[in-house]
Amino acid sequence: MEPNPASGNQDEEYLTLVNPNDTAVDLSGWRIAYDVEHTFAPGVVLPAGGTLYLSPDVTAFRQRALSPTGGEGHFVQGNYRGQLSNRWGVRALYDAGGRLVARKTFVALRR
């Protein structure tokens, strides 16, 4: 996850989904909800052991000057609605049947 790209261009932000399993996961109709919103199109499959980068603007993500970039062969999907925050946030992943698969709450600690 990168809520504040070094370029200052929020269209280059991203979050990742990682499949730690030894089988692929068909994400067709799955959705991300809360601070960012996205529904995966039919046919989106996250390979076994793979990482998917989710961006608000796939074109901007692929043009990033710093890694991860488009020239590195990453699996990139988008374009989500909303914006990531480096202070707080809630992200939930729901399967195509609407069942909660995962939920993360982020709160930055003040020092």
Side-chain angles (χ1 to χ4, degrees), residues 3-93:
N4 290 320
S7 68
N9 180 356
Q10 286 308 129
D11 287 342
E12 294 181 2
E13 73 178 35
Y14 66 89
L15 59 94
T16 57
L17 293 179
V18 177
N19 179 2
N21 302 304
D22 59 1
T23 57
V25 176
D26 183 352
L27 297 176
S28 301
W30 288 41
R31 68 184 182 91
I32 302 281
Y34 294 106
D35 56 344
V36 298
E37 300 281 335
H38 182 76
T39 300
F40 292 97
V44 174
V45 176
L46 182 52
T51 300
L52 179 149
Y53 291 80
L54 186 61
S55 171
D57 186 321
V58 172
T59 300
F61 179 90
R62 292 177 195 247
Q63 295 173 349
R64 289 169 53 97
L66 301 174
S67 186
T69 67
E72 296 173 344
H74 298 295
F75 181 25
V76 184
Q77 292 286 296
N79 298 325
Y80 66 67
R81 293 180 311 281
Q83 187 174 7
L84 299 174
S85 170
N86 65 346
R87 294 187 182 141
W88 62 271
V90 176
R91 277 163 228 113
L93 176 65

Side-chain angles (χ1 to χ4, degrees), residues 33-34 89-94 100-106:
Y34 294 106
V90 176
R91 277 163 228 113
L93 176 65
Y94 295 92
L100 180 65
V101 174
R103 179 184 168 120
K104 291 264 186 183
T105 301
F106 300 89

